[in-house]
Amino acid sequence: MPTNVRSFAKINLGLRIGALRPDGFHELRTVYQTIALHDVIRVSVGRGSGIEIRCDDSRVPTDESNTCYRIVERAMVELNATGRVMIEIEKRLPVQGGLGGASGNAVAAVLALERALKKEMSAPARLRIAAEVGSDLPLFLVGGTVLGVGRGEEVYPVPDLPAIPCVVATPEIGVSTPKAFADWDLLVSRGPQVTDKLTRPVASDRMSEFGRVLSAWLSSQSQSKYKSGRALSGVPVSKGRGRAETPLLDLVRTGIENDFEQVVFPKYPELREVKRVLVSAGAVYASLSGSGSATYGLFASREAAVKAAARLREDGIAATATTTLTRQQYWKKIFD
Ligand code: C5P
C-alpha cells in the first residue's frame, strides 16, 4: 500500500530581492503562506534499488532532474535505507507557476518516504537536504505563515495569519525564475532613474527596511494579542473590526510588495491586468506569487472570492477560489 501525502502550494506575501551573492543566488526576504490547493504524492518502497517516478502530466520530468528524485536520493542515504522507491505524482497544480508546486512535491515525497520506511531524519537534516534541492523547499517543512530569508531557504515560523479566502489565477504563461532574477539585476544596474521605487541605491538597505517593516508588524501582532487577551490565529478576517482581527490588513498596510512585479508585469501586461481584476473584484490584497505567473488575491469572504474567480474565468483566465492554510491545518491535512 503506498503512503499518500498532500502536497500543498504556497504564495508569497511580499518578496524583496537583494544583492546577487557570490554563489549565484540572490539574497531574499519574503513571507510565504501555504494554501489549500494541492497535488497528491504516493510513495511505496519495494525490493531492489533505484527511484522510479510516474506522472500522467507530460510536462513533469520523471528522470533524476525531478525534485522528488533529488530529495529522495539524498533521504535514502541520510536514512541509511535500501529498496526501490516508487513515487507517483498526481498533478493538480499548474506545473510552472510561482506556487512552489515542484518544491512542495519533493517535501511531500520525503515525508511519505519516512512514513513508508518507518524511519525519520532529524529535523535539521530534513531542512538541510530540502535546502540542497531548492530554495523554495524548506518552507514546506514549516507550513502556515513562514518568514524566508537567505536565498529563501532559511525559514522561520511567524504567528499564523488566520485562514483567509483566496483566489489563485494561473494564466498560461511560463515565467523563467532565473530570467526574472536576471531582469531584476538589469533593472537595478540601470540605476534609480528607471523607477522611483529604486531610489535607495544599496540593496542591503532595502533588505534592512523589509526587516524593520516585518518586525514592526510582528510586534504589533503580539501587542494587540496582549491587549485583547486572545490569540490571533483562527480569527476570520471577515468578522474583523479592531486591530486584533485584522492581522492581514496590518501586514498589507506595511506596503509589502513583490519586487518581481516590476520586471514581470512590463513583460506580460496580462498579469498586471489579472491583478487589476482581482483588486476591482474586492481583493484586500493582490499580488504576483514568486516570479509568477500565478497571481492571487486575498478576500474578506468566501463569497467574494468565488465571484472574483468566476469573473476571471469569464475573461478566459484559469482561476480557483481556495483558502490559505494555517500551520495547524497544513499539518493536519497533509496525511489525511
Ligand atoms: O533554488 P532554486 O532551485 O529554486 O533556484 C532556481 C534558480 O533561481 C537559481 O539557479 C538562481 O538562478 C535563481 N535564484 C536566485 N536567488 C534565489 C533563488 C533562486 O537567483 N534566492
Side-chain angles (χ1 to χ4, degrees), residues 15-21 23-29 32 67 70 103 130-137 149-153 176-182 185 260 291:
L15 188 156
R16 193 154 282 198
I17 309 169
L20 179 61
R21 313 188 317 189
D23 63 3
F25 288 89
H26 291 75
E27 197 61 22
L28 272 196
R29 300 285 181 272
Y32 300 108
T67 50
R70 292 169 60 209
S103 303
E132 279 170 18
V133 173
S135 313
D136 266 2
L137 270 73
V149 301
R151 58 180 166 89
E153 94 292 11
S176 152
T177 301
K179 182 80 180 66
F181 274 113
D185 291 339
F260 277 123
S291 59

Side-chain angles (χ1 to χ4, degrees), residues 211-287:
R212 284 192 292 273
V213 160
L214 202 71
S215 170
W217 174 65
L218 290 170
S219 66
S220 77
Q221 295 309 291
S222 43
Q223 276 169 33
S224 45
K225 184 174 171 180
Y226 178 70
K227 283 176 196 157
S228 69
R230 60 188 157 137
L232 291 163
S233 199
V235 179
V237 81
S238 55
K239 291 191 185 133
R241 281 197 187 85
R243 282 187 62 78
E245 283 86 356
T246 57
L248 171 68
L249 287 179
D250 281 351
L251 178 61
V252 302
R253 279 192 197 116
T254 62
I256 53 159
E257 284 179 358
N258 181 346
D259 281 343
F260 277 123
E261 289 187 352
Q262 290 188 51
V263 285
V264 174
F265 282 176
K267 218 168 184 175
Y268 305 103
E270 312 92 289
L271 300 180
R272 193 198 300 276
E273 179 59 16
V274 170
K275 176 170 167 173
R276 196 197 60 74
V277 172
L278 287 164
V279 170
S280 76
V284 178
Y285 181 69
S287 172

Side-chain angles (χ1 to χ4, degrees), residues 44-180:
S44 53
V45 184
R47 280 206 201 124
S49 63
I51 300 167
E52 190 179 332
I53 297 185
R54 287 191 190 161
C55 182
D56 284 345
D57 192 320
S58 59
R59 293 167 302 174
V60 176
T62 52
D63 60 9
E64 60 277 8
S65 69
N66 189 296
T67 50
C68 295
Y69 189 106
R70 292 169 60 209
I71 201 165
V72 163
E73 193 178 35
R74 286 169 168 81
M76 290 296 278
V77 174
E78 190 71 35
L79 290 162
N80 201 13
T82 53
R84 181 167 185 78
V85 184
M86 160 76 88
I87 306 166
E88 200 186 320
I89 305 171
E90 187 185 321
K91 208 73 207 163
R92 300 182 184 180
L93 294 165
V95 171
Q96 186 177 18
L99 297 174
S103 303
N105 287 174
V107 170
V110 128
L111 295 174
L113 178 74
E114 288 188 347
R115 279 219 161 179
L117 291 170
K118 297 188 177 63
K119 277 182 159 192
E120 277 191 12
M121 276 174 268
S122 70
R126 216 181 278 123
L127 283 162
R128 176 175 48 76
I129 65 166
E132 279 170 18
V133 173
S135 313
D136 266 2
L137 270 73
L139 83 102
F140 292 105
L141 289 170
V142 180
T145 312
V146 184
L147 171 65
V149 301
R151 58 180 166 89
E153 94 292 11
E154 200 182 318
V155 286
Y156 300 95
V158 295
D160 252 343
L161 287 171
I164 301 163
C166 169
V167 172
V168 177
T170 50
E172 279 181 30
I173 293 172
V175 180
S176 152
T177 301
K179 182 80 180 66

